[in-house]
Amino acid sequence: MSQQLPDSIPPGLFAARAEAIADAARELALAGWTPATSSNFSMRIDAEHAAITISGRDKGKLGRDDIMLVDMQGHAVGTDARPSAETALHTQIYRRWPGAQAVLHTHSRTQSVASRLFARDGLIRLEGWELQKAIAGHTTHESVLEIPVFPNTQHMPELVARVDAWLDAGKPLAAYLIDGHGIYTWGRDMAEARRHLEALEFLLGCELDLRRLNA
Amino acid sequence: MSQQLPDSIPPGLFAARAEAIADAARELALAGWTPATSSNFSMRIDAEHAAITISGRDKGKLGRDDIMLVDMQGHAVGTDARPSAETALHTQIYRRWPGAQAVLHTHSRTQSVASRLFARDGLIRLEGWELQKAIAGHTTHESVLEIPVFPNTQHMPELVARVDAWLDAGKPLAAYLIDGHGIYTWGRDMAEARRHLEALEFLLGCELDLRRLNA
Amino acid sequence: MSQQLPDSIPPGLFAARAEAIADAARELALAGWTPATSSNFSMRIDAEHAAITISGRDKGKLGRDDIMLVDMQGHAVGTDARPSAETALHTQIYRRWPGAQAVLHTHSRTQSVASRLFARDGLIRLEGWELQKAIAGHTTHESVLEIPVFPNTQHMPELVARVDAWLDAGKPLAAYLIDGHGIYTWGRDMAEARRHLEALEFLLGCELDLRRLNA
Amino acid sequence: MSQQLPDSIPPGLFAARAEAIADAARELALAGWTPATSSNFSMRIDAEHAAITISGRDKGKLGRDDIMLVDMQGHAVGTDARPSAETALHTQIYRRWPGAQAVLHTHSRTQSVASRLFARDGLIRLEGWELQKAIAGHTTHESVLEIPVFPNTQHMPELVARVDAWLDAGKPLAAYLIDGHGIYTWGRDMAEARRHLEALEFLLGCELDLRRLNA
């Protein structure tokens, strides 16, 4: 499927972002966090556009041709390809955080199980872990990091509304879980988004372990 | 051991299926789902024949010569090799689902443990997981996916009869477990069979985790 | 350290056994079953000799020079190298089973934890698992496989006496655990010994999982 | 960033230590024990200097240029780079043990969870494990190995004082945990430090498993 670019987007910029997304997807697939063609990944191109994974592709074998352009309303631009069903959640993040350059959504077993376990409380509270310092803005293990768990739905506008409601209430947000589903996190660049994802996977795993130990 | 093919089967077709089975077997062995020469894999050749793994071979080192031809009654065709003891379960699937092209039977620790745990109930009920959408025909996490657990036996006709009884009762079937043993699943092509297997391994693992967490 | 061979042992035979031991050791180390230079491995050379790993070497980097010759009393033959402290347990197996060609002793976390858990009972009873059929002589999941757990000691003759007592009582023995330590198993060739080890690791892991699930 | 060396330090010595640190870091990162740029590693250069990882680098991609020189008070020598925040804990170890040549600090999930679980007791007591013999000075599973767990703080002098207090009380110390954080261990050379780390990760994992089994 060919991707036509608007004149305002340098082909080299799109190619570089597509490459970075495919590299991250392959590494995260190798870690087992994208089972059965799930998960999706994107990077900002400019104020109006983002590059995002095409729906349903095997994330372990992703190449540049599996990435497409969308506008910030989540519509395909210059291609007949279909973007991931959850594109609206990515573009919402780019609209709400002008500094966000990369969004990662994965589905590890730890993320899925944690989302089910903490769904009753609506959030998971992380506190006392040195690794919280891996999240931008956190400089001590004594800070508190709250990750909301939103109910799952196949209707994306509902999820967009829940994220908006959280943010409009003035609460800090570094990532969120969707019940029975997975995690969304982001960063100022792909390295920061990856660091956030890796730290949250680790911390959710630790919290599950402590509960298995009745600690 | 040499494999003679009936005139009706193009050698290239058999070779391609044998290659695809060996590739899948090596990847699933690498994942640790085929311990100690267990597990078996097949692909349909035509309405009357399937290619299947020869009994007892190390699945991590499988090559084209470890695959043989059987008819839909599970008898060896054009070879003295012995097919997997459980060949009858593969050919049953090809007979009951004319669209099935690949059947996978593995033995992961998660599959074995889940089969023991849920044997008392005779089935495991999956509900509320986004990844259920990886199973053909499921478009929402709100659907219910029932995977039966049949008692183990060394006498294959008993197992065949149990699968027939389930199907004859009109119940949907995407996969089944055998108690203390492993899983069977299938698909319209090898990619779909692999996606089903990967999704079910993931979902069984999540269900075990939730129970470990008393959730 | 140089290894002098008695005239009765063809250098090619010793080299082939040393190679096979080193290959197995590297693969088992990769699986994480030989932490911190633990574990030891041997193969029979003839009725009077075995090749065995030299004490204290990193099992992940084992080469032919890390293997030495011992007699069936566990004494070094033709070398100043020191054999593994537990050599007496290997040579006992070769003495008691004339058909045994390979002995594997590993230390996986599953093996260590299972040994502690089942030490009170003095044995672990495996029943109802299809994978029991991977153990020589077992043709159905309905058989019972008893693996004794012997108390640990730094004094090898005590362990040798416990194994002798078990065998002299006429009880079948395919493998044994030592409390807080690891497993010993063997086979008619390296492939069978590996299959036994892989199947037992799997089955012990399943039994621990069932107990974690209070099942 | 360029590293100027004092005349007393042969460039080849610094290069060799930097190489050894980078090699160890990459292998430990691969094992998943250094999530999200955490962890730090050092080697002694001489009585007055050590080579240590520069703060915040990805441990999986570490090269020689990511290692810098510090004095035994933890100050950068001959570079503008910033050493790891926890440098004071490394140099304390070199000051207190003149024979220590390598210090490893990692953050595995097992280490982090164990540190939280045992923080109430202030220590974890290891007893009855064969693998305790991997710790220098331990020759039997019957010995007792006590690993203290110190409260976490962002203020390094507090941690230094706690380690000093433990040592000044005459208690043996092979490693220590910091609550919600990770482990410190060391050795007479990098191989011994690695063996200590690997054995302790294994033993902490076994202790967590036993508790999950209510054993």
Side-chain angles (χ1 to χ4, degrees):
Chain A
M1 232 167 276
S2 75
Q3 170 71 57
Q4 303 296 323
L5 295 174
D7 290 346
S8 64
I9 299 177
L13 175 65
F14 180 79
R17 293 288 185 265
E19 201 78 53
I21 292 170
D23 287 352
R26 278 193 308 270
E27 290 180 40
L28 296 169
L30 205 64
W33 299 0
T34 67
T37 80
S38 70
S39 307
N40 40 68
F41 310 102
S42 70
M43 287 195 83
R44 180 192 291 277
I45 297 288
D46 59 26
E48 302 299 328
H49 299 93
I52 193 164
T53 41
I54 294 177
S55 183
R57 303 286 166 93
D58 181 340
K59 300 308 179 290
K61 294 169 182 167
L62 221 65
R64 256 159 73 163
D65 291 348
D66 299 308
I67 314 297
M68 62 180 287
L69 192 69
V70 291
D71 64 25
M72 288 305 180
Q73 284 67 49
H75 301 124
V77 175
T79 173
D80 293 331
R82 192 163 59 88
S84 291
E86 294 147 14
T87 297
L89 299 173
H90 289 250
T91 54
Q92 175 184 37
I93 291 163
Y94 294 120
R95 287 195 317 265
R96 304 265 339 199
W97 284 274
Q101 294 290 335
V103 177
L104 302 174
H105 166 48
T106 57
H107 256 244
S108 77
R109 182 162 146 185
T110 293
Q111 292 155 15
S112 292
V113 169
S115 73
R116 286 286 281 257
L117 186 67
F118 296 104
R120 337 166 225 206
D121 302 326
L123 61 81
I124 171 165
R125 220 177 131 83
L126 298 165
E127 194 170 3
W129 299 103
E130 181 72 9
L131 213 68
Q132 292 170 222
K133 290 167 59 185
I135 307 298
H138 290 257
T139 58
T140 164
H141 64 286
E142 289 172 325
S143 66
V144 174
L145 183 59
E146 286 192 344
I147 311 293
V149 185
F150 299 123
N152 196 12
T153 170
Q154 300 302 318
H155 186 56
M156 286 306 112
E158 265 181 60
L159 269 167
V160 169
R162 288 189 189 275
V163 176
D164 276 334
W166 180 277
L167 290 170
D168 293 344
K171 296 189 236 181
L173 189 68
Y176 59 86
L177 290 164
I178 305 174
D179 183 16
H181 190 152
I183 201 168
Y184 276 83
T185 191
W186 49 90
R188 284 168 308 178
D189 50 31
M190 181 58 90
E192 188 178 272
R194 291 284 299 271
R195 202 182 71 223
H196 287 171
L197 182 61
E198 199 177 338
L200 291 164
E201 167 77 11
F202 182 91
L203 293 170
L204 292 174
C206 287
E207 290 287 342
L208 293 185
D209 278 350
L210 282 183
R211 273 156 191 81
R212 279 185 199 110
L213 288 155
N214 303 314
Chain B
M1 231 167 279
S2 75
Q3 172 70 59
Q4 302 297 322
L5 295 175
D7 290 346
S8 64
I9 299 177
L13 175 64
F14 179 80
R17 294 287 185 267
E19 201 77 56
I21 292 170
D23 287 352
R26 279 194 308 269
E27 290 181 39
L28 295 169
L30 204 65
W33 299 0
T34 68
T37 81
S38 69
S39 306
N40 39 68
F41 310 103
S42 71
M43 287 195 82
R44 180 192 291 278
I45 297 289
D46 59 26
E48 302 300 327
H49 300 92
I52 192 164
T53 42
I54 294 176
S55 183
R57 303 288 166 91
D58 182 338
K59 300 308 178 291
K61 293 167 183 168
L62 221 64
R64 256 159 74 163
D65 291 348
D66 298 309
I67 314 297
M68 62 179 288
L69 192 68
V70 292
D71 64 25
M72 288 307 180
Q73 285 66 49
H75 302 124
V77 175
T79 173
D80 294 330
R82 193 163 58 89
S84 290
E86 294 146 14
T87 298
L89 298 173
H90 290 249
T91 55
Q92 176 183 37
I93 290 163
Y94 294 120
R95 287 196 317 267
R96 304 266 339 200
W97 283 274
Q101 294 291 335
V103 177
L104 302 175
H105 166 49
T106 56
H107 256 245
S108 77
R109 181 163 148 185
T110 292
Q111 292 155 15
S112 292
V113 170
S115 73
R116 286 287 281 257
L117 186 68
F118 296 104
R120 337 168 225 207
D121 303 326
L123 61 79
I124 171 164
R125 222 178 130 84
L126 298 165
E127 195 171 4
W129 299 104
E130 181 72 8
L131 214 67
Q132 293 171 222
K133 290 166 60 183
I135 308 298
H138 290 257
T139 57
T140 163
H141 64 286
E142 290 171 326
S143 66
V144 174
L145 183 58
E146 286 191 346
I147 311 293
V149 184
F150 298 123
N152 196 13
T153 170
Q154 300 302 318
H155 186 56
M156 286 306 113
E158 265 181 59
L159 269 167
V160 169
R162 288 190 188 275
V163 174
D164 277 334
W166 180 277
L167 290 170
D168 293 344
K171 296 189 238 181
L173 188 69
Y176 59 87
L177 290 163
I178 305 174
D179 183 16
H181 191 152
I183 201 167
Y184 277 83
T185 192
W186 48 89
R188 285 168 308 178
D189 51 30
M190 181 58 91
E192 188 178 272
R194 292 283 300 270
R195 202 183 69 221
H196 287 170
L197 183 62
E198 198 177 340
L200 290 165
E201 167 78 11
F202 182 91
L203 293 170
L204 293 174
C206 287
E207 290 286 342
L208 294 185
D209 278 349
L210 282 183
R211 274 156 190 80
R212 279 187 200 108
L213 288 155
N214 303 315
Chain C
M1 234 166 277
S2 75
Q3 171 71 58
Q4 303 296 321
L5 296 175
D7 289 346
S8 64
I9 299 177
L13 175 64
F14 180 79
R17 294 287 186 267
E19 201 77 55
I21 292 170
D23 287 351
R26 279 194 306 269
E27 290 181 41
L28 295 169
L30 205 64
W33 300 0
T34 68
T37 82
S38 70
S39 306
N40 39 69
F41 311 101
S42 70
M43 286 195 84
R44 180 193 291 278
I45 298 289
D46 59 26
E48 301 300 327
H49 300 93
I52 192 164
T53 41
I54 295 177
S55 183
R57 303 287 167 93
D58 182 339
K59 299 309 178 291
K61 292 167 182 167
L62 220 66
R64 258 157 73 162
D65 292 348
D66 299 309
I67 314 296
M68 62 180 289
L69 192 69
V70 292
D71 64 25
M72 287 306 179
Q73 286 66 52
H75 301 125
V77 175
T79 173
D80 294 332
R82 193 164 58 87
S84 291
E86 294 145 14
T87 298
L89 299 173
H90 290 248
T91 56
Q92 176 184 35
I93 290 163
Y94 294 120
R95 287 196 316 267
R96 305 264 341 199
W97 285 273
Q101 295 289 336
V103 178
L104 303 174
H105 166 48
T106 56
H107 256 245
S108 77
R109 181 163 148 184
T110 292
Q111 292 155 16
S112 292
V113 170
S115 73
R116 286 286 281 256
L117 186 67
F118 296 103
R120 337 167 225 208
D121 303 326
L123 60 80
I124 171 164
R125 221 178 130 83
L126 299 164
E127 196 171 3
W129 299 105
E130 181 72 9
L131 213 68
Q132 292 170 225
K133 291 166 59 183
I135 307 298
H138 290 258
T139 57
T140 164
H141 64 286
E142 288 172 327
S143 65
V144 173
L145 183 58
E146 286 192 345
I147 311 293
V149 184
F150 298 123
N152 196 12
T153 169
Q154 300 302 318
H155 186 57
M156 288 304 113
E158 265 180 60
L159 270 167
V160 169
R162 288 189 188 274
V163 175
D164 277 334
W166 180 277
L167 290 169
D168 293 345
K171 296 189 237 180
L173 189 67
Y176 59 86
L177 290 163
I178 305 173
D179 183 15
H181 190 153
I183 200 167
Y184 277 83
T185 191
W186 49 90
R188 285 169 307 179
D189 51 29
M190 182 58 91
E192 189 178 272
R194 292 284 300 270
R195 202 182 71 222
H196 287 171
L197 182 62
E198 199 177 338
L200 291 164
E201 167 77 12
F202 181 90
L203 292 170
L204 293 174
C206 287
E207 290 287 342
L208 294 185
D209 278 349
L210 282 183
R211 274 157 189 80
R212 278 185 200 110
L213 288 155
N214 303 316
Chain D
M1 233 167 277
S2 75
Q3 171 71 58
Q4 302 296 322
L5 295 174
D7 289 346
S8 64
I9 298 177
L13 175 64
F14 180 79
R17 294 287 185 267
E19 201 78 53
I21 292 171
D23 287 351
R26 278 193 308 269
E27 290 180 41
L28 296 169
L30 206 64
W33 299 0
T34 67
T37 80
S38 70
S39 307
N40 39 68
F41 310 103
S42 71
M43 287 195 84
R44 180 193 291 279
I45 297 289
D46 59 25
E48 302 300 327
H49 300 94
I52 193 165
T53 41
I54 295 177
S55 182
R57 303 287 166 94
D58 181 340
K59 298 312 178 288
K61 293 168 182 165
L62 220 66
R64 257 157 74 161
D65 291 349
D66 298 309
I67 314 298
M68 61 180 288
L69 192 69
V70 292
D71 63 25
M72 288 305 179
Q73 285 66 50
H75 302 124
V77 175
T79 172
D80 293 332
R82 194 163 57 89
S84 291
E86 293 145 15
T87 297
L89 298 173
H90 290 249
T91 55
Q92 176 185 36
I93 291 163
Y94 294 119
R95 287 194 318 264
R96 304 267 336 201
W97 284 274
Q101 294 289 337
V103 177
L104 302 175
H105 165 49
T106 57
H107 256 244
S108 78
R109 181 162 147 186
T110 292
Q111 291 155 15
S112 292
V113 170
S115 73
R116 286 286 281 256
L117 186 67
F118 296 104
R120 336 165 225 206
D121 302 327
L123 61 80
I124 171 165
R125 221 178 131 82
L126 298 164
E127 195 170 4
W129 299 104
E130 181 72 9
L131 212 68
Q132 292 169 225
K133 290 166 58 185
I135 308 296
H138 289 258
T139 58
T140 165
H141 64 285
E142 288 170 327
S143 66
V144 174
L145 183 59
E146 286 191 345
I147 311 293
V149 184
F150 298 123
N152 196 13
T153 168
Q154 300 302 319
H155 186 56
M156 288 305 113
E158 265 180 60
L159 269 167
V160 169
R162 288 188 187 275
V163 175
D164 276 335
W166 180 276
L167 290 170
D168 293 344
K171 298 189 236 180
L173 189 68
Y176 58 86
L177 290 163
I178 305 174
D179 182 16
H181 190 153
I183 200 167
Y184 276 83
T185 191
W186 49 91
R188 285 167 308 178
D189 49 31
M190 181 59 90
E192 188 178 272
R194 291 285 299 270
R195 203 182 69 223
H196 287 170
L197 182 62
E198 199 177 337
L200 291 164
E201 168 77 11
F202 182 91
L203 293 169
L204 293 174
C206 287
E207 290 287 343
L208 294 185
D209 277 350
L210 282 183
R211 275 156 188 81
R212 279 184 198 110
L213 288 155
N214 303 314

